[in-house]
Amino acid sequence: MSYIELTTPCIFGVESILKKEIIKLGYEIKRVEDGRITYIADELGVCRSNIWLRTAERVMINVGEFTATSFEELFDKTKDLPWERWIPQDGKFWVKKASSIKSKLFSPSDIQSIIKKAIVERLKKTYHVNWFNEDGEHYPIRVFIKKDRVSICLDTSGEALHKRGYRTFTSKAPISETLAAAIIQLSPWNKDRILVDPFCGSGTIPIEAAMLAMNMAPGLDREFTAEKWKNIIPVKSWFKAVDEANDVIDTTCELNIAGYDIDYKVLKLARENVRNAGVEDKIHFQERDMRKTSNNKKYGFIITNPPYGERLGDKETVIELYKDMKITFDKNLEDWSYFIITSFDEFERYFGKNADKKRKLYTGMMKANLYQYFGSKPPKRVNPIN
């Protein structure tokens, strides 16, 4: 196997979580930037990364990086890259997306066109042909330019990694799977503690928590573009990565995870999604108004994505909801911790308490805050003296 440099974009604000996931897989971090991490792996690492990374948006092979301030320079330096290592003669390749931030080259369509032409010219000389039928496997390319620094990558994932495959049905304004996985890991929750999502919608937070607790890889039930890249990754590597993931799933763990929602229709979607994810015996769903949230056990966790105005359509209603959340939690949940993500800027004001810790998270162009309220820790268990 040979070393491959991989780049994984992620939601702004969860880089530290993604870094831990990559290190846990055993790979060396090369660089951490806002919204992306670059690391060194191998062919098997491409498979493992796609199957295991919970907070990455996709896994990309870093073909090359260089500085370019003119289209001529972009063409020449792209042409100099070893494209024949990655794209076979019959490969279908195109620049699926180009983005530019604070750079002299800013037209996505022009960037896409010039990079495509440069790759064609390189491969013409390599394969000694004047025409490519491009009737083979797909090799989508993504380009990111920041401050005139160009990164060109092959997208191994295809569909974004937040599309696990279990969420066939969604409610309005659902939280993404990657963001749900991130906020769970940003909390100190573990499988021995109770977890309740009183605004569970289609069930994403409870499902991601159950999968994390069971050590279930999020990418087991979906396909990836690079599975067909036999010129780069042997098929046996994919089989090995899948077998590894299946071998470590803990189906015997006992969990206390619940999802509540006031809308019985959306709970039907949640139950279907849970079945698709294979965690139906680990989560309890119930039609329940948030104001009736209660539990007689201590030290549990609320992890939730409540309505924030756009979804509910009424700011006054949202304000009253946030006020009632604090009253309900204080009255009915003793020594619990709350992890609440919302884009409503005045959440703390109406919730009636400043968060112990606040973390900015960006999903697309929308800024949200994760408000973290830490409850008491359960007493440590004392082992009996023999």
Side-chain angles (χ1 to χ4, degrees):
M1 289 190 175
S2 57
Y3 289 111
I4 298 176
E5 186 172 291
L6 299 178
T7 294
T8 56
C10 63
I11 294 169
F12 285 95
V14 305
E15 295 86 357
S16 61
I17 299 298
L18 178 55
K19 180 181 176 182
K20 289 178 183 177
E21 292 181 358
I22 294 168
I23 291 172
K24 187 177 180 180
L25 287 178
Y27 301 117
E28 177 190 347
I29 302 293
K30 182 178 179 181
R31 186 169 61 251
V32 178
E33 304 168 272
D34 289 343
R36 58 200 292 123
I37 294 180
T38 300
Y39 59 105
I40 307 299
D42 51 24
E43 290 89 347
L44 181 58
V46 174
C47 311
R48 287 172 172 162
S49 297
N50 274 294
I51 290 169
W52 274 107
L53 294 180
R54 299 179 192 278
T55 57
E57 290 302 316
R58 58 185 68 249
V59 176
M60 304 184 295
I61 293 174
N62 197 352
V63 177
E65 295 182 355
F66 52 82
T67 299
T69 57
S70 69
F71 285 122
E72 181 180 4
E73 195 173 14
L74 178 67
F75 180 91
D76 291 340
K77 290 185 177 180
T78 299
K79 186 179 175 183
D80 286 340
L81 297 175
W83 288 103
E84 61 276 6
R85 178 186 175 187
W86 309 110
I87 301 175
Q89 186 171 333
D90 65 346
K92 179 178 175 58
F93 58 96
W94 72 103
V95 181
K96 188 167 186 178
K97 184 176 181 180
S99 59
S100 177
I101 300 173
K102 298 179 180 178
S103 300
K104 292 181 176 64
L105 304 179
F106 57 84
S107 168
S109 60
D110 288 338
I111 293 167
Q112 288 170 299
S113 176
I114 286 167
I115 287 177
K116 169 77 175 187
K117 289 178 182 177
I119 299 171
V120 168
E121 290 303 310
R122 169 80 183 205
L123 295 182
K124 275 184 180 180
K125 291 186 178 180
T126 302
Y127 295 125
H128 307 289
V129 296
N130 291 317
W131 178 262
F132 295 98
N133 290 326
E134 296 194 51
D135 54 1
E137 303 304 341
H138 293 189
Y139 294 79
I141 297 163
R142 290 178 177 264
V143 181
F144 177 67
I145 306 179
K146 184 177 181 181
K147 296 181 179 178
D148 300 323
R149 187 69 182 170
V150 182
S151 297
I152 305 181
C153 301
L154 280 175
D155 180 6
T156 74
S157 303
E159 291 270 23
L161 293 182
H162 74 263
K163 296 184 178 181
R164 317 287 205 216
Y166 66 75
R167 202 166 73 172
T168 308
F169 305 100
T170 62
S171 56
K172 293 181 180 179
I175 188 171
S176 75
E177 294 89 332
T178 45
L179 181 55
I183 64 176
I184 292 165
Q185 292 181 84
L186 285 167
S187 80
W189 177 79
N190 63 65
K191 61 185 178 182
D192 296 326
R193 308 278 286 274
I194 302 168
L195 188 154
V196 173
D197 180 358
F199 302 97
C200 72
S202 53
T204 306
I205 290 175
I207 291 171
E208 290 293 324
M211 292 175 69
L212 183 64
M214 295 169 65
N215 202 30
M216 181 184 290
L220 268 177
D221 291 328
R222 54 158 288 170
E223 297 179 345
F224 307 98
T225 297
E227 287 181 64
K228 297 180 179 179
W229 295 356
K230 296 177 183 178
N231 63 311
I232 301 175
I233 305 168
V235 174
K236 64 181 181 180
S237 294
W238 289 101
F239 288 138
K240 181 177 181 180
V242 170
D243 288 342
E244 288 174 347
N246 279 319
D247 287 344
V248 297
I249 297 174
D250 180 9
T251 59
T252 64
C253 68
E254 295 184 4
L255 302 176
N256 193 337
I257 300 175
Y260 305 145
D261 205 282
I262 198 171
D263 185 350
Y264 76 92
K265 292 180 181 178
V266 82
L267 290 176
K268 289 183 178 180
L269 306 182
R271 292 187 177 101
E272 183 66 26
N273 292 337
V274 162
R275 284 190 289 272
N276 292 338
V279 295
E280 62 267 32
D281 61 335
K282 305 297 181 183
I283 302 170
H284 168 68
F285 287 114
Q286 185 177 356
E287 182 184 347
R288 182 185 292 190
D289 190 306
M290 178 279 300
R291 297 166 182 84
K292 295 183 180 179
T293 302
S294 65
N295 198 296
N296 57 10
K297 293 185 178 179
K298 295 182 178 182
Y299 315 119
F301 279 77
I302 293 285
I303 302 180
T304 193
N305 172 40
Y308 48 85
E310 289 85 347
R311 184 168 69 177
L312 212 58
D314 186 343
K315 182 177 180 180
E316 285 70 30
T317 304
V318 169
I319 289 172
E320 291 304 313
L321 182 68
Y322 291 164
K323 290 178 179 178
D324 290 344
M325 282 174 65
K326 177 67 163 51
I327 295 169
T328 300
F329 295 169
D330 283 353
K331 180 180 178 182
N332 300 332
L333 301 172
E334 185 178 354
D335 291 321
W336 278 47
S337 300
Y338 320 137
F339 287 75
I340 303 165
I341 185 166
T342 176
S343 62
F344 194 92
D345 289 334
E346 297 180 283
F347 171 79
E348 289 171 300
R349 174 185 173 187
Y350 295 109
F351 187 68
K353 183 180 180 181
N354 289 334
D356 296 313
K357 190 175 182 181
K358 186 166 68 173
R359 191 184 191 105
K360 288 183 180 179
L361 300 172
Y362 288 83
T363 57
M365 298 303 293
M366 180 177 288
K367 183 189 79 171
N369 283 304
L370 177 62
Y371 298 94
Q372 303 168 62
Y373 297 88
F374 302 108
S376 301
K377 295 181 179 179
K380 292 183 179 180
R381 294 178 181 177
V382 179
N383 294 327
I385 301 174
N386 294 326

